Amino acid sequence: KAGVTQTPRYLIKTRGQQVTLSCSPISGHRSVSWYQQTPGQGLQFLFEYFSETQRNKGNFPGRFSGRQFSNSRSEMNVSTLELGDSALYLCASRVETSGTEAFFGQGTRLTVV
Amino acid sequence: AQSVTQLGSHVSVSEGALVLLRCNYSSSVPPYLFWYVQYPNQGLQLLLKYTTGATLVKGINGFEAEFKKSETSFHLTKPSAHMSDAAEYFCAVSETGRRALTFGSGTRLQVQP
């Protein structure tokens, strides 16, 4: 069974630009979550999608948004990039049962210059 | 609100020695607890999880953890460290009914030959 796939693995963007990251969950997993990992703030929850609906949102500005498609694939978008948005963005998928573990992709390393 | 504290940002052990990584959590409801490992430039891999039932949980690669409600702890142990165990370890909690993970700040494990 294929794992969680995130594309691209690496991105370099200029301040003020926008970026879209993609995540394909494990087959059969309908819940997709996004996390931001930085050296200073650690791992922080961005948002979770289930059946194309955002079900939960972390404490991030509105520049961070996401969506989920009918095939459970998800994208997250960051507009008006700031230097502080440089981070590893991790996507996780899980089966729709409370308490089940999240399976993570390898992440997208975003560098804003 | 849920929170996780990992004591010790860096732990160094000799190969063959006991590994003990500490995790304390705060949760207003019965928690689900997880340990993840992250190798450089990789995503997170689940080591083990506690949901309900037996408080001593065995995971992959010889790791185990014990849920102690009275101490609000979920420490990770391994009897004998291997060089391949060198990585960063994250403790995480999610509350019943929520799916977002709250992570600790991580502990970097170094294994000396």
Side-chain angles (χ1 to χ4, degrees):
Chain A
K1 202 178 214 183
V4 178
T5 303
Q6 291 188 246
T7 56
R9 287 292 311 278
Y10 301 92
L11 266 178
I12 300 176
K13 289 288 187 179
T14 303
R15 193 171 45 181
Q17 287 186 313
Q18 75 165 15
V19 67
T20 299
L21 313 181
S22 179
C23 172
S24 293
I26 292 171
S27 177
H29 288 194
R30 296 166 63 194
S31 169
V32 174
S33 299
W34 289 87
Y35 293 81
Q36 181 196 63
Q37 185 177 25
T38 60
Q41 299 299 315
L43 281 153
Q44 293 185 287
F45 171 73
L46 280 157
F47 27 65
E48 183 208 4
Y49 286 87
F50 176 75
S51 289
E52 303 177 64
T53 300
Q54 187 180 91
R55 189 159 61 176
N56 205 354
K57 190 177 192 304
N59 189 25
F60 278 82
R63 299 186 297 107
F64 291 82
S65 63
R67 59 178 176 169
Q68 186 180 33
F69 302 95
S70 58
N71 62 357
S72 294
R73 190 177 70 85
S74 177
E75 289 180 347
M76 69 162 282
N77 184 77
V78 187
S79 62
T80 320
L81 285 165
E82 301 177 359
L83 296 179
D85 297 332
S86 295
L88 180 66
Y89 289 88
L90 293 164
C91 168
S93 75
R94 70 198 313 167
V95 200
E96 174 47 16
T97 304
S98 183
T100 56
E101 61 269 32
F103 294 87
F104 284 82
Q106 291 193 306
T108 294
R109 172 76 62 186
L110 172 65
T111 303
V112 182
V113 297
Chain B
Q2 56 194 29
S3 66
V4 178
T5 301
Q6 290 185 241
L7 293 174
S9 59
H10 289 83
V11 170
S12 183
V13 300
S14 298
E15 193 173 17
L18 171 72
V19 175
L20 170 60
L21 305 182
R22 300 178 186 275
C23 172
N24 288 88
Y25 70 91
S26 171
S27 176
S28 56
V29 297
Y32 300 127
L33 296 159
F34 307 85
W35 275 100
Y36 284 89
V37 61
Q38 186 177 36
Y39 298 97
N41 296 317
Q42 298 293 318
L44 302 174
Q45 180 184 11
L46 180 74
L47 282 176
L48 48 80
K49 67 174 182 179
Y50 169 79
T51 53
T52 58
T55 55
L56 182 62
V57 180
K58 294 188 184 300
I60 62 172
N61 301 339
F63 285 94
E64 63 182 36
E66 186 171 11
F67 171 61
K68 292 187 176 180
K69 184 179 179 181
S70 60
E71 298 177 9
T72 61
S73 69
F74 191 56
H75 301 330
L76 182 71
T77 61
K78 182 174 180 178
S80 176
H82 295 162
M83 296 296 291
S84 60
D85 294 328
E88 189 151 23
Y89 292 79
F90 293 93
C91 181
V93 62
S94 70
E95 294 180 338
T96 308
R98 293 191 76 234
R99 291 158 186 84
L101 292 167
T102 297
F103 286 91
S105 55
T107 298
R108 185 167 299 278
L109 176 66
Q110 188 176 21
V111 182
Q112 307 279 7

